[in-house]
Amino acid sequence: MLNDITYGDLFLRRVMRLFFLLLLSLVPREAEAQNNLLDTQIDLGERYEGSSKTLIDKVGAATGVTISYSNKVYVHQHVALSFRSGTLREFLDAIFSRFAVEYIIRDKKVIVSAMATRNSRLSGYCRDALTGEVLIGANVYDTLLMAGCATNGYGFFSVSLPHGRATLRASFVGYTPELRDVDLNSDTIIDIRLHPSILMKDINVVNSHSDADRAQMDFVDIPIEQVKAMPTLLGEADIIRTYQKTPGVQSGEEGFGGLSVRGGDADQNIYLLDDVPLYSATHLMGMFSVFNTEAVNSAQLYKGAFPARYGGRMSSVFDVKLREGDMQKFDGYANLGLLASTIMFEGPIVKDKVSFITSARRTYFDVYSSQMQRNNDNRYSFFFYDISAKLNYRVSPRDRLYVSFFVGKDELKNEYNFQNQIVTYGEKSSRTVANNDEQNVNWNNLVAAIRWNHLFGNSLFANVTAAYTHYRFNYNIENFKTLSNSIYENNQKYYNGITDVEAKADFNWYPNKLPGIIRFGVSGMSHLFFPGLTISTSIVDGEELANSAPDEEETEQEATAKNRLSRYEFHSYLEDDFRINKFSFNVGVHLSMLARQNQSHYLSVEPRAALSYDILPQWRVQLGYSHASQFVQQLRLISVASPADMWLPVSSQNPPPRARQWSLQSTIDLGSYYSFTTELYYKDYIRKQTFKTMPTSLILSQNEWDDIFCSGSGVSKGLELFMHRKAQRLSGWIGYSFSHSYCSYNEINNGKRFDADNDCRHSVSIYGCYKISDRFDVSATWSYHSGAPVTIPDSRYTIKDADNDEYTFYIDGKRNAYRMSASHSLNIGANYKRQFSNTHHTLSFGVYNVYGRKNPMFTYWKANENGSYNLREFSLIAFPWPYVKYAIRF
Amino acid sequence: MLVSTSCERDSVIDVEQGVVTPVMTAYFYEDSSVVVNAYSSVSFYSSTNYQALTNAIVTIDKNNKFTQMVAADSGAIRMTFNGLRINTGDTITVNVSCDEGNLSATTVMLPAVDFTVTNTLNDSVVDCVVRIMDSNIATDYFQLKLFADDELVDCYYYDDIFESVFATSEQLLGLFTDNDFNSRVRYVRFAFNLKDALRADGTNATLRLRLYHHTYDYYQYLLSIQGAFASTVLPVLGQTNCYTNVTGGYGIVSGLSFSEKILEIEN
């Protein structure tokens, strides 16, 4: 009933309709208004280039809009716009281009919010562009996000980055840094090639540490090229001698005495050659190292707070990696020096697939001496050699296989003939004898290893190794005596040594959802110790003499088997490298176990931690703690370290020693080329082992050595200062250390504390190398060490035995109560280089011990003919030693 | 090259006088008088090798019974015990008390071990074979020495049983143990030049072959002499210690027993 609807109702409905229409019209206008905010036109008047922060302020001021964002989506960066005007959205996209963001509008505020991002993993290898050699410790990082890592021991890196374009910067000392843009939308494997720098101007090669290694402290890494440039004894570039010139690292005089790191003993250092332990790292009792610098890729020394992946020793880890060989072309190198010659060949077997490298070095003292002693009845000769070889096979982009081999030997021979006669017997060759003694002392190392690298997915790098290492010391005496027509031949053979077989697996995991690197691994090692065995045989006229019970006579193999000791050593570790804001961490734990047949086992849990804090980008403070123990030790048989020193396991009477070290380090990068490091450390030992007294016989059987050890405690503490300049033209360092090492044993020195054998109170080393031109460089080193502690006999007594023969014996005074004279020396050298077609020639010359400093090696009481005694100091290299060496690279 | 560039010089280290330590040596032969030497260590700057002890009294106990005592006169180093006879099996303890300290050492008089010897003359060389029968399972320590008219003969101990054929110390020659022939017979061989058995006038010297049966202590003492010898030749080796069985000081006290045969060279 239409008449029932009043005009009032109609009006009301119209008003309501209009109201809703009005509301509806407002809604799209509101959204449109928000979109219009982002579409606001901005004209800066000129193209902007500058800080992103300033640009945000400008844009906000131009639009009257407040722009809010979190650190998750912002990185302070330099921005160079290609446009001067555009919408607000275009300006915001340019500032936040690296992130997946969305813009939320609230009134006059724009909130930049992160969208759920996707990351992918960028992995690969960093190599030398010319040779294909991997670069260990190269930095690879995203320049915008400052996220990256250092390449591992096989040149591998892996970093997780958000999708989009990443600008990578790869750098390594001695190489031109490379920038590369990578569009990352999925897991990607790339190969980065760096070119060696040939520019003569100083290049900024700052210690730009990436995330993974900022926490690492007590770590010394000297480039191999710097090692080769340093003037050394007889011109032989020597890695160990170079590191001895850094704070906290000493040796005995001219290398005798082994390496001492922060007061530790020589057997507390582990030398790893491509991850395989090497038991004797020197030739000629410490004067030269076994590492041929032409075959070495890198050598790094951890002086204390070494990360959890290392174990087995308490003082230091010397990690040497051999080169892999040029994958592109054949190269060769040869040098001729006063002491030794070296040759090296490398090249591809299959280009970019399989390469090899082999090197050899030999001295020729024996050649000189045989000529000089031609007419002597008493003749000495000495030589050493080492040979290394490595095969590198890139099976696939994810698999690599390495086979490496090393052998080194030293031999000292003495022949003594008198009353020469020609005698033949049986079918054996004639021999010039009447009385002929031949003594032969030799020691040798052998290492063989096979390694497989595999990349699981893109974030798990594995290295599996099987290795064999072997050290022997041999002392052989042959005596031929002709009595009437019979030839009596006596042979005595003594040897000691150690043989290891090892299998290990190491993993580097770069997790996508966690920052940093997680490392873990396991290893098992079988030790066979040969503590000292003497085998004697007597031969008359070519027939071996039998005693009354020949069937009970032991063969040499049986005697060897009876006298050897076997032990099994197991290690595992877990280590995490990560960064949170300005803090970097390296934390982990290393587990070691020694298993013995039918005896109790030893287990050691060794926590390790290092923390780094960036006070400023150029100033980093680090704190470290390490706990380490070892299950093998070396028994020193004479007053200085010698190759005859026996490797022995710890026993039930002498449980494993343990060391703990705390370190505090500050590193400042001064300008572009300098770094200045200050470090304090404190190290304590328990169950540190040594002799109660020196053994009464130079040759001990396995039944005797265990009784002469005793255990005690020790402390080593010090301050190290190190200023290092790494640059192309002028490089070098100045180092100083102040340290004090002492120990105490109940059985020694009446239980009173005494300075440790390796205590060196003050040590200074200065090294400089200046490249005058691309053909000529000069270098010099000067080092100083406080006098070494020495125990000097302070009284003597004489015994007349039953046959009325008199012998004088000495009584030791207080242990290490005296100091020998301080040691210092100056060495200078120069290299002159020329290139002719494809060959590079280098002439090196210099002087070792320029001012003829008579540095003492040991002291002793000398008995004079009139019965009096004088205390004497013996110096080994008391005069300047010039050297000259010629090398050719082709 | 290293030898040519090495050198020595006097050290400037001023070594303090060490603690004076008493030393004692005594050797006992069967059925012979006993002599004990007691003295002290000396400084390296001293002009003498032997320094008398102060107020020293030496006592010898045989088989745990007090036997004799001698008070050393001022300056005396050597003390003789007359009327004291030692027999096989005796245990002898020597004590020295003095202002410098107290010394004590015990030894035993071991029985002599019998042997037979045969020899063959090959041109100018005499090859000898000694037959020894070891009668117990304990380790015994022996030494063979040949004397020509009381002069020690330079023998060639080429049998592999000998401790060290190449010893630089004469005292070490001819030493061996019975480790490889316990409770059995062993033939031990050595040789010497015939000329060493002749006197200057060409007549035959009296050759006495002795087989010493040493105590463990004296054997170890002889081995330690080798180390002392080596360090005088190569000082870098460092001083090795002299073996001692004397508590409170240094020295060696030992019974010395031996059996002897006259060696007749055939033809």
Side-chain angles (χ1 to χ4, degrees):
Chain A
M1 315 239 342
L2 188 64
N3 292 334
D4 292 331
I5 301 171
T6 65
Y7 280 106
D9 289 334
L10 284 172
F11 178 76
L12 187 61
R13 285 179 192 175
R14 185 169 294 169
V15 168
M16 292 300 293
R17 188 180 301 154
L18 282 172
F19 176 72
F20 281 115
L21 282 172
L22 188 64
L23 276 179
L24 285 171
S25 69
L26 281 175
V27 169
R29 193 167 297 159
E30 178 64 27
E32 184 182 331
Q34 291 177 352
N35 281 337
N36 287 341
L37 191 62
L38 290 174
D39 293 330
T40 304
Q41 282 292 324
I42 304 169
D43 187 347
L44 296 180
E46 58 181 2
R47 287 185 188 173
Y48 178 83
E49 181 174 348
S51 151
S52 53
K53 179 73 172 63
T54 304
L55 180 57
I56 291 172
D57 293 339
K58 273 182 178 295
V59 165
T63 56
V65 170
T66 302
I67 301 171
S68 300
Y69 53 89
S70 75
N71 283 336
K72 288 183 183 176
V73 298
Y74 173 74
V75 171
H76 189 87
Q77 58 175 309
H78 181 84
V79 177
L81 295 179
S82 59
F83 55 91
R84 66 174 190 184
S85 63
T87 63
L88 175 60
R89 185 189 296 276
E90 285 169 344
F91 277 94
L92 291 176
D93 285 346
I95 295 169
F96 300 100
S97 62
R98 204 62 185 88
F99 301 93
V101 298
E102 59 180 349
Y103 306 117
I104 299 171
I105 312 297
R106 291 283 183 269
D107 297 327
K108 293 285 273 183
K109 189 185 284 187
V110 175
I111 302 170
V112 184
S113 173
M115 291 171 63
T117 58
R118 285 195 60 194
N119 276 27
S120 285
R121 188 153 285 280
L122 187 63
S123 314
Y125 291 87
C126 192
R127 306 179 198 282
D128 182 307
L130 300 179
T131 65
E133 197 75 39
V134 294
L135 300 176
I136 299 168
N139 286 310
V140 180
Y141 61 94
D142 183 309
T143 55
L144 201 59
L145 303 175
M146 297 304 288
C149 65
T151 56
N152 69 5
Y154 298 91
F156 177 81
F157 70 90
S158 182
V159 58
S160 177
L161 296 171
H163 282 188
R165 172 159 290 194
T167 302
L168 288 182
R169 185 176 191 274
S171 63
F172 190 60
V173 173
Y175 289 79
T176 305
E178 175 169 314
L179 287 172
R180 181 194 289 196
D181 289 331
V182 178
D183 289 316
L184 191 65
N185 296 306
S186 61
D187 292 343
T188 305
I189 298 176
I190 62 171
D191 220 35
I192 297 179
R193 306 268 175 157
L194 298 183
H195 291 265
S197 172
I198 56 172
L199 297 177
M200 287 316 303
K201 63 179 182 181
D202 286 341
I203 291 173
N204 182 349
V205 190
V206 179
N207 284 329
S208 53
H209 290 264
S210 60
D211 287 358
D213 59 0
R214 289 192 82 86
Q216 189 54 56
M217 58 188 299
D218 294 343
F219 174 67
V220 185
D221 184 5
I222 300 175
I224 284 296
E225 294 308 314
Q226 207 164 43
V227 172
K228 291 179 186 177
M230 183 173 281
T232 55
L233 183 62
L234 294 176
E236 285 298 310
D238 196 292
I239 292 172
I240 292 182
R241 277 184 171 270
T242 300
Y243 277 87
Q244 285 168 3
K245 305 238 184 295
T246 57
V249 184
Q250 278 97 38
S251 74
E253 198 47 48
E254 304 305 343
F256 283 72
L259 204 66
S260 169
V261 177
R262 290 182 173 171
D265 295 332
D267 63 348
Q268 295 173 4
N269 310 307
I270 188 166
Y271 300 91
L272 298 174
L273 186 64
D274 275 355
D275 298 330
V276 183
L278 196 63
Y279 283 97
S280 174
T282 59
H283 288 298
L284 195 53
M285 295 177 63
M287 294 192 76
F288 304 97
S289 76
V290 299
F291 305 113
N292 186 341
T293 51
E294 291 303 319
V296 171
N297 182 326
S298 70
Q300 298 166 338
L301 175 67
Y302 294 85
K303 290 191 292 187
F306 33 90
R309 58 188 180 268
Y310 295 109
R313 300 290 188 277
M314 296 190 295
S315 270
S316 78
V317 176
F318 207 88
D319 193 354
V320 178
K321 293 282 194 293
L322 294 177
R323 292 180 52 220
E324 295 179 352
D326 195 332
M327 280 270 181
Q328 307 298 324
K329 57 181 175 41
F330 288 98
D331 291 318
Y333 172 88
N335 77 34
L336 185 70
L338 290 176
L339 169 71
S341 286
T342 299
I343 55 170
M344 186 274 294
F345 293 107
E346 60 176 325
I349 296 174
V350 177
K351 208 168 178 181
D352 279 328
K353 194 84 171 164
V354 185
S355 69
F356 77 96
I357 178 170
T358 182
S359 68
R361 172 175 58 164
R362 194 194 191 281
T363 60
Y364 19 79
F365 278 145
D366 51 336
V367 175
Y368 296 148
S369 61
S370 68
Q371 293 305 310
M372 288 162 55
Q373 301 171 86
R374 205 166 34 218
N375 299 319
N376 292 2
D377 286 334
N378 198 5
R379 296 191 293 268
Y380 292 91
S381 68
F382 173 79
F383 73 91
F384 71 75
Y385 72 80
D386 45 60
I387 300 172
S388 68
K390 188 166 175 178
L391 189 74
N392 168 23
Y393 178 27
R394 284 187 207 157
V395 180
S396 72
R398 293 178 177 276
D399 292 273
R400 309 184 75 187
L401 192 66
Y402 303 91
V403 180
S404 54
F405 169 83
F406 170 85
V407 64
K409 182 176 180 180
D410 289 61
E411 184 171 289
L412 171 65
K413 194 188 288 189
N414 169 231
E415 287 181 81
Y416 187 50
N417 293 298
F418 55 92
Q419 299 174 23
N420 290 341
Q421 294 178 2
I422 305 290
V423 180
T424 58
Y425 57 99
E427 295 175 353
K428 301 201 175 179
S429 57
S430 66
R431 186 182 287 273
T432 303
V433 294
N435 198 345
N436 168 275
D437 283 341
E438 187 174 299
Q439 297 189 52
N440 180 307
V441 179
N442 67 78
W443 54 98
N444 56 82
N445 272 310
L446 173 70
V447 172
I450 181 165
R451 280 192 308 286
W452 171 53
N453 289 169
H454 180 71
L455 184 59
F456 293 94
N458 284 313
S459 59
L460 183 62
F461 178 89
N463 176 45
V464 179
T465 305
Y468 171 91
T469 181
H470 149 121
Y471 173 75
R472 283 287 183 279
F473 170 81
N474 299 293
Y475 179 35
N476 302 318
I477 306 175
E478 292 179 357
N479 175 265
F480 296 88
K481 191 160 191 152
T482 304
L483 298 173
S484 181
N485 287 324
S486 291
I487 296 181
Y488 298 83
E489 183 180 334
N490 270 284
N491 301 322
Q492 276 200 333
K493 189 191 305 185
Y494 165 84
Y495 69 89
N496 71 54
I498 181 169
T499 299
D500 287 352
V501 175
E502 182 185 23
K504 56 198 270 185
D506 298 287
F507 299 88
N508 288 4
W509 180 34
Y510 304 84
N512 287 327
K513 295 208 163 86
L514 295 171
I517 306 171
I518 294 177
R519 297 182 179 91
F520 56 96
V522 293
S523 71
M525 184 183 291
S526 161
H527 293 298
L528 275 180
F529 298 90
F530 302 89
L533 178 67
T534 305
I535 308 264
S536 300
T537 53
S538 298
I539 300 172
V540 180
D541 291 336
E543 286 189 22
E544 190 167 327
L545 207 60
N547 63 20
S548 60
D551 56 325
E552 294 188 13
E553 199 169 80
E554 236 172 23
T555 63
E556 182 174 335
Q557 290 75 17
E558 288 167 346
T560 303
K562 195 170 78 172
N563 282 281
R564 70 185 186 197
L565 304 167
S566 68
R567 298 287 186 272
Y568 303 96
E569 197 170 326
F570 301 98
H571 295 269
S572 65
Y573 66 90
L574 177 65
E575 176 189 329
D576 193 2
D577 252 321
F578 60 96
R579 183 178 172 89
I580 299 175
N581 296 328
K582 290 188 176 183
F583 290 90
S584 298
F585 299 86
N586 178 297
V587 292
V589 63
H590 187 101
L591 300 178
S592 308
M593 187 174 96
L594 182 73
R596 307 177 293 168
Q597 284 177 340
N598 304 320
Q599 297 181 64
S600 58
H601 305 331
Y602 289 122
L603 176 67
S604 173
V605 179
E606 303 166 17
R608 313 269 174 86
L611 161 70
S612 171
Y613 176 65
D614 296 336
I615 298 175
L616 293 171
Q618 300 83 10
W619 186 13
R620 183 171 67 254
V621 174
Q622 292 163 294
L623 191 63
Y625 171 78
S626 71
H627 177 130
S629 64
Q630 65 185 74
F631 300 130
V632 296
Q633 57 195 346
Q634 205 171 17
L635 183 71
R636 183 179 291 189
L637 296 179
I638 60 176
S639 62
V640 295
S642 79
D645 296 344
M646 279 193 279
W647 283 98
L648 297 164
V650 293
S651 67
S652 54
Q653 293 185 39
N654 300 292
R658 183 274 292 139
R660 297 177 303 186
Q661 182 170 201
W662 294 265
S663 311
L664 175 64
Q665 179 176 302
S666 162
T667 304
I668 299 176
D669 292 325
L670 302 170
S672 300
Y673 314 117
Y674 292 93
S675 68
F676 183 66
T677 304
T678 308
E679 183 166 1
L680 288 167
Y681 69 89
Y682 180 90
K683 184 160 67 169
D684 72 356
Y685 298 90
I686 60 167
R687 300 187 295 268
K688 194 170 186 283
Q689 298 182 10
T690 189
F691 283 115
K692 294 173 194 171
T693 55
M694 287 294 285
T696 55
S697 168
L698 294 179
I699 295 175
L700 292 178
S701 70
Q702 66 158 347
N703 298 322
E704 296 165 301
W705 57 265
D706 207 13
D707 293 333
I708 60 175
F709 271 124
C710 62
S711 289
S713 61
V715 167
S716 181
K717 53 192 176 184
L719 166 70
E720 293 170 3
L721 306 174
F722 189 60
M723 176 174 285
H724 196 179
R725 177 183 165 97
K726 285 184 186 177
Q728 195 73 4
R729 187 178 292 277
L730 175 64
S731 62
W733 64 70
I734 300 174
Y736 167 76
S737 70
F738 170 80
S739 64
H740 187 198
S741 304
Y742 53 86
C743 42
S744 64
Y745 301 83
N746 289 337
E747 295 89 341
I748 298 174
N749 215 38
N750 298 319
K752 293 181 188 166
R753 189 176 102 175
F754 57 92
D755 288 339
D757 294 345
N758 300 311
D759 181 40
C760 179
R761 208 55 57 89
H762 300 278
S763 173
V764 178
S765 65
I766 302 173
Y767 162 65
C769 178
Y770 184 69
K771 288 192 175 168
I772 297 172
S773 68
D774 60 352
R775 288 184 186 173
F776 195 63
D777 61 75
V778 293
S779 58
T781 65
W782 184 80
S783 59
Y784 169 91
H785 298 284
S786 299
V790 64
T791 304
I792 298 179
D794 56 13
S795 52
R796 59 186 170 91
Y797 63 96
T798 303
I799 287 186
K800 190 179 286 187
D801 68 11
D803 294 314
N804 281 330
D805 291 313
E806 285 187 333
Y807 300 95
T808 299
F809 297 92
Y810 302 164
I811 302 172
D812 280 339
K814 291 178 188 168
R815 183 75 171 249
N816 290 342
Y818 299 95
R819 293 272 170 169
M820 289 196 285
S821 307
S823 296
H824 50 89
S825 67
L826 172 67
N827 312 318
I828 58 174
N831 296 300
Y832 180 67
K833 301 171 186 172
R834 289 297 299 271
Q835 181 175 352
F836 298 103
S837 63
N838 287 333
T839 59
H840 298 258
H841 302 258
T842 305
L843 182 68
S844 305
F845 49 92
V847 180
Y848 187 84
N849 194 13
V850 171
Y851 50 83
R853 167 68 182 172
K854 294 172 178 51
N855 293 317
M857 185 177 168
F858 61 88
T859 60
Y860 74 103
W861 288 104
K862 181 172 182 177
N864 301 313
E865 287 181 0
N866 61 2
S868 64
Y869 285 82
N870 285 98
L871 186 66
R872 305 281 283 172
E873 263 184 4
F874 177 87
S875 303
L876 187 62
I877 300 177
F879 301 98
W881 272 32
Y883 70 85
V884 62
K885 187 172 79 173
Y886 167 73
I888 178 171
R889 194 174 296 276
F890 49 90
Chain B
M1 288 172 75
L2 288 172
V3 169
S4 66
T5 62
S6 62
C7 83
E8 289 182 14
R9 59 182 179 179
D10 282 341
S11 171
V12 297
I13 298 175
D14 186 19
V15 180
E16 293 177 358
Q17 164 75 50
V19 173
V20 174
T21 308
V23 183
M24 169 172 65
T25 62
Y27 308 108
F28 302 98
Y29 297 90
E30 188 165 352
D31 206 26
S32 175
S33 59
V34 172
V35 174
V36 175
N37 297 302
Y39 46 95
S40 73
S41 62
V42 296
S43 157
F44 278 92
Y45 305 114
S46 170
S47 58
T48 179
N49 288 333
Y50 301 94
Q51 180 71 36
L53 298 172
T54 309
N55 298 322
I57 297 176
V58 182
T59 307
I60 293 186
D61 296 344
K62 189 170 81 167
N63 298 325
N64 294 319
K65 291 178 189 172
F66 170 72
T67 304
Q68 276 200 33
M69 181 173 72
V70 169
D73 295 332
S74 174
I77 291 172
R78 179 187 174 93
M79 285 143 282
T80 304
F81 289 75
N82 293 316
L84 177 61
R85 290 293 181 264
I86 306 299
N87 301 309
T88 297
D90 283 345
T91 300
I92 309 114
T93 301
V94 184
N95 296 304
V96 176
S97 69
C98 58
D99 290 356
E100 288 82 358
N102 296 323
L103 303 175
S104 179
T106 299
T107 188
V108 65
M109 198 67 204
L110 295 175
V113 174
D114 199 12
F115 66 96
T116 60
V117 57
T118 57
N119 65 84
T120 309
L121 179 60
N122 294 315
D123 200 8
S124 63
V125 170
V126 182
D127 271 310
C128 299
V129 178
V130 178
R131 181 186 183 280
I132 305 169
M133 171 66 196
D134 185 60
S135 58
N136 62 71
I137 60 171
T139 302
D140 294 297
Y141 305 91
F142 298 107
Q143 189 172 22
L144 273 174
K145 286 185 176 180
L146 180 67
F147 296 89
D149 288 345
D150 298 328
E151 290 287 328
L152 189 64
V153 174
D154 180 20
C155 297
Y156 189 50
Y157 300 97
Y158 61 88
D159 197 306
D160 60 8
I161 197 176
F162 290 109
E163 185 69 42
S164 175
V165 181
F166 312 101
T168 54
S169 164
E170 202 174 69
Q171 299 308 315
L172 216 58
L173 294 175
L175 279 177
F176 62 99
T177 72
D178 66 350
N179 280 336
D180 73 344
F181 69 100
N182 255 319
S183 304
R184 292 184 288 111
V185 168
R186 183 37 157 111
Y187 295 94
V188 179
R189 296 164 176 82
F190 68 96
F192 63 94
N193 278 311
L194 180 65
K195 65 177 177 58
D196 293 330
L198 303 174
R199 297 190 184 103
D201 59 5
T203 57
N204 294 347
T206 302
L207 294 173
R208 289 190 173 82
L209 180 64
R210 284 185 183 172
L211 176 66
Y212 287 86
H213 186 191
H214 287 317
T215 60
Y216 169 82
D217 292 324
Y218 196 72
Y219 196 86
Q220 294 301 319
Y221 160 73
L222 292 177
L223 291 180
S224 69
I225 291 176
Q226 174 73 358
F229 235 69
S231 67
T232 59
V233 175
L234 281 176
V236 69
L237 296 177
Q239 172 74 44
T240 57
N241 290 311
C242 172
Y243 177 86
T244 182
N245 66 342
V246 175
T247 58
Y250 297 103
I252 187 73
V253 170
S254 179
L256 293 172
S257 66
F258 60 88
S259 56
E260 186 178 276
K261 292 282 193 294
I262 301 296
L263 196 63
E264 299 282 352
I265 300 175
E266 296 178 14
N267 298 328

